[in-house]
Amino acid sequence: MSTYTTGDVAKLCGVSVRTIQYYDRQGLLNPSSMSTGGKRLYDDADVRALEYILMLKDTGLSLAAIRTVMESPYSTRMLQDLLGEQRQKLESGIAEAQRRITAIDALDDDLALHGTLTVADRTDMANHMASKTLSHRFFALMIIVSILADIAWIGTLVWSIHTGIWWIFSIGLAAAVIMMAAMTASYYRHVVYWDPATRREFRPAFWSWFFARHTLHTRLLRAPGSNEKVWCVEHFQGRVPVRK
């Protein structure tokens, strides 16, 4: 059986000598023997034990928890419980980090669109973040409905050309029109616009909104504050009420 000094073990496992000495003081990794000169000596089993400790430490378990596992006669069951608990903590941390990233993105979008923060308090911020999440889901739904509408009228058109039965195409075209009309009406109900003169949100009349020139985030509308046609920033509201 091979024997190793503290320095040898440190090189084998990629840690510092101080780490091994610290684990020794904590009762995690005791040397299997001592040399005549008083040096700590470790064997292959000790090296494997250190690798095991380092592997568990990489999961975020504390040294106290690792020592408990190594000393327990039910180490496998205890380790499963500890790893499950650690996973829950890490997932909770990921969720919190994602919430903060969403908050950063929401404020960044607000600054990019208005040149200043329009949210006044934490309630506004929560509503802003909720609207951002809902807008992503809504636009994904719009894409799906658009694809289904295309399939409806194109598919029935091809089928009617091949069979000569044109009433099927009429049904497909009507279904496509109904789907797109429903999505357009839903989109109109979910968006409001920022009046640059009064710095208030408003919802224009449907037909003026429908025929207005627009970009991805703005629409050329007659703003109630100035009664002039200006480019107004679009806000997706979801279930958030329009401010009066």
Side-chain angles (χ1 to χ4, degrees):
M1 181 179 292
S2 301
T3 57
Y4 309 92
T5 64
T6 303
D8 294 334
V9 176
K11 290 180 180 178
L12 284 171
C13 297
V15 295
S16 66
V17 171
R18 286 187 176 183
T19 297
I20 297 175
Q21 293 171 343
Y22 180 72
Y23 288 171
D24 185 4
R25 292 195 299 271
Q26 295 298 313
L28 280 167
L29 186 70
N30 301 127
S32 56
S33 61
M34 302 288 288
S35 70
T36 53
K39 290 186 176 181
R40 296 176 176 83
L41 296 177
Y42 299 88
D43 57 23
D44 291 326
D46 296 327
V47 174
R48 289 193 297 272
L50 178 57
E51 291 284 6
Y52 182 68
I53 293 168
L54 295 174
M55 182 174 62
L56 295 185
K57 191 171 181 293
D58 282 342
T59 68
L61 290 178
S62 67
L63 294 182
I66 294 172
R67 183 174 61 248
T68 302
V69 169
M70 296 178 71
E71 293 175 352
S72 174
Y74 306 102
S75 58
T76 299
R77 186 179 303 171
M78 180 175 290
L79 181 58
Q80 287 177 328
D81 292 340
L82 286 171
L83 290 177
E85 182 180 352
Q86 183 67 7
R87 182 184 181 86
Q88 289 181 351
K89 289 180 180 178
L90 291 172
E91 288 177 343
S92 176
I94 291 172
E96 176 62 19
Q98 187 58 55
R99 187 193 67 79
R100 293 182 180 182
I101 290 172
T102 302
I104 290 171
D105 288 344
L107 290 178
D108 191 49
D109 287 348
D110 206 25
L111 286 170
L113 290 172
H114 304 111
T116 184
L117 286 181
T118 61
V119 293
D121 51 35
R122 294 180 65 186
T123 300
D124 281 352
M125 182 64 189
N127 290 341
H128 201 53
M129 291 168 61
S131 294
K132 187 176 178 67
T133 300
L134 286 171
S135 68
H136 289 166
R137 295 176 182 172
F138 185 82
F139 289 131
L141 178 61
M142 284 184 66
I143 292 172
I144 293 172
V145 172
S146 297
I147 293 172
L148 292 175
D150 287 341
I151 292 173
W153 78 267
I154 295 175
T156 54
L157 175 62
V158 172
W159 193 88
S160 296
I161 291 173
H162 280 282
T163 62
I165 305 175
W166 288 96
W167 64 267
I168 295 293
F169 170 63
S170 300
I171 294 175
L173 182 60
V177 170
I178 291 171
M179 282 189 283
M180 295 307 299
M183 283 307 301
T184 301
S186 181
Y187 181 50
Y188 169 73
R189 290 194 300 271
H190 281 78
V191 293
V192 291
Y193 294 86
W194 183 262
D195 184 342
T198 62
R199 303 182 65 80
R200 291 182 178 275
E201 293 171 342
F202 71 99
R203 178 173 286 118
F206 177 81
W207 290 113
S208 62
W209 168 85
F210 184 79
F211 289 110
R213 292 170 56 195
H214 61 88
T215 65
L216 184 60
H217 296 294
T218 63
R219 194 170 288 256
L220 187 60
L221 299 166
R222 190 172 298 280
S226 61
N227 201 32
E228 296 178 352
K229 280 195 172 183
V230 292
W231 288 98
C232 301
V233 175
E234 180 178 280
H235 283 180
F236 187 91
Q237 288 292 297
R239 301 187 185 91
V240 182
V242 179
R243 295 177 188 169
K244 302 297 185 182

